[in-house]
Amino acid sequence: MQHILIIVNDAPYGSEKLFNALRLAIQLNEQDYSPVKVSLFLLSDAVSAVLPKQKPVEGYNIQQMLEIVIAQKAQVKFCGSCMHARGLTDLKVIEGCEMATMDDLAQWVLVADKTITF
């Protein structure tokens, strides 16, 4: 089984980078002929994506997409330092998303077969 790590740095709305990263993660998880393990790590402004009940103006809903990826058994982690820098550490996050460190990301990079950044 191939391990694919996806790292996202952009905010959930205003840019479509996270949207496209999640679209890719969902499609990778649906591949029957080549099973993969997908891991998603959110850095910088992307960490705000783990905050629930956002009201998107765009035609897509990041929370729903994250919940699909999590239901597909992908791991979703977000940078604790990035959350702290934005004053978000005391807020509730979407179930299944886990606060992590740069050491956690480094470990994922070392074991991943492929790393993709958005």
Side-chain angles (χ1 to χ4, degrees):
M1 181 177 293
Q2 192 174 174
H3 180 202
I4 300 176
L5 169 60
I6 301 173
I7 303 170
V8 186
N9 291 285
D10 264 8
Y13 299 102
S15 156
E16 292 187 353
K17 289 184 181 181
L18 180 56
F19 170 67
N20 287 321
L22 291 169
R23 289 175 58 214
L24 177 60
I26 290 166
Q27 289 303 309
L28 287 168
N29 283 321
E30 291 179 354
Q31 300 305 307
D32 292 330
Y33 61 90
S34 181
V36 297
K37 174 184 176 186
V38 175
S39 300
L40 179 68
F41 200 96
L42 306 175
L43 287 167
S44 301
D45 288 338
V47 297
S48 64
V50 301
L51 302 176
K53 300 180 183 174
Q54 295 184 48
K55 305 287 188 231
V57 186
E58 287 88 356
Y60 55 90
N61 186 306
I62 294 296
Q63 179 173 349
Q64 288 176 339
M65 295 178 80
L66 277 170
E67 289 169 345
I68 291 168
V69 169
I70 292 164
Q72 291 175 325
K73 307 294 186 224
Q75 284 188 283
V76 177
K77 293 185 179 185
F78 57 93
C79 176
S81 297
C82 300
M83 289 289 276
H84 180 73
R86 288 158 180 79
L88 304 174
T89 48
D90 294 332
L91 299 177
K92 183 179 177 182
V93 300
I94 296 168
E95 187 175 336
C97 297
E98 178 185 341
M99 189 178 296
T101 64
M102 193 56 68
D103 186 54
D104 295 318
L105 176 57
Q107 293 300 313
W108 271 3
V109 169
L110 290 172
V111 299
D113 297 304
K114 293 180 182 164
T115 300
I116 304 166
T117 61
F118 284 85

